[in-house]
Amino acid sequence: MTPAAAAKRSAGLLLFRRTGRTDRGDHGIEVLLGHMGGPFFARRDAGAWTVPKGEYEPDEPAWDAARREFQEELGLPPPDGEPVPLGEVTQTNGKIVTVWAVEADLDPAAVVPGTFTMEWPRGSGHVQEFPELDRVEWLDPARARAVLIKAQTEFLDRLEAHMR
């Protein structure tokens, strides 16, 4: 098995909306990102934000997984809209992430995040539940670049190239 075949795969949707402001050089858009939940990211900002996404098995189409994971992560149905394929990137942990951009608006206050459980503190025997994403926000591309997982900034570049 090749390393690429063994790598975990995730798929997600990067929502974007037009702001009408282009004076900042950001193509007049904002993107919807989520801050990763749980104790490891609680006090972090840079590198702790992500496109809403999740893992899928090789027999599931990536597009179907992206829509399913959006619903699981945000508790809201994925928006209808023309998907813009942004391709894939490989994160430093080896995970391959495939993303589509979709133009849509969404109220972050309506998000009901999915949860996960883990032993915390480690070795305590105490299992706690944490939100997958502890908050969701619309960010302009400059702010998004400052906080997004480094490899995922490539999706911003590709979205901005599409907007030109």
Side-chain angles (χ1 to χ4, degrees), residues 56-122:
Y56 66 99
E57 297 299 321
D59 61 338
E60 182 180 14
W63 171 246
D64 293 346
R67 294 178 56 78
R68 174 182 50 76
E69 286 295 334
F70 185 92
Q71 175 102 31
E72 288 179 13
E73 296 265 323
L74 302 181
L76 299 170
D80 293 325
E82 190 63 37
V84 177
L86 299 180
E88 58 184 40
V89 299
T90 302
Q91 296 181 165
T92 55
N93 63 2
K95 183 180 286 183
I96 299 168
V97 181
T98 305
V99 167
W100 286 264
V102 176
E103 185 172 1
D105 203 353
L106 178 147
D107 179 0
V111 169
V112 180
T115 61
F116 68 96
T117 57
M118 66 180 280
E119 180 184 28
W120 190 257
R122 283 189 177 163

Side-chain angles (χ1 to χ4, degrees), residues 117-139:
T117 57
M118 66 180 280
E119 180 184 28
W120 190 257
R122 283 189 177 163
S124 69
H126 182 68
V127 176
Q128 295 186 49
E129 187 174 64
F130 299 97
E132 294 274 354
L133 300 172
D134 60 20
R135 63 189 182 275
V136 175
E137 294 180 19
W138 287 102
L139 304 172

Side-chain angles (χ1 to χ4, degrees), residues 142-156:
R143 172 79 175 125
R145 257 178 231 296
V147 297
L148 196 56
I149 293 171
K150 186 173 181 161
Q152 291 183 24
T153 62
E154 180 65 29
F155 296 131
L156 296 176

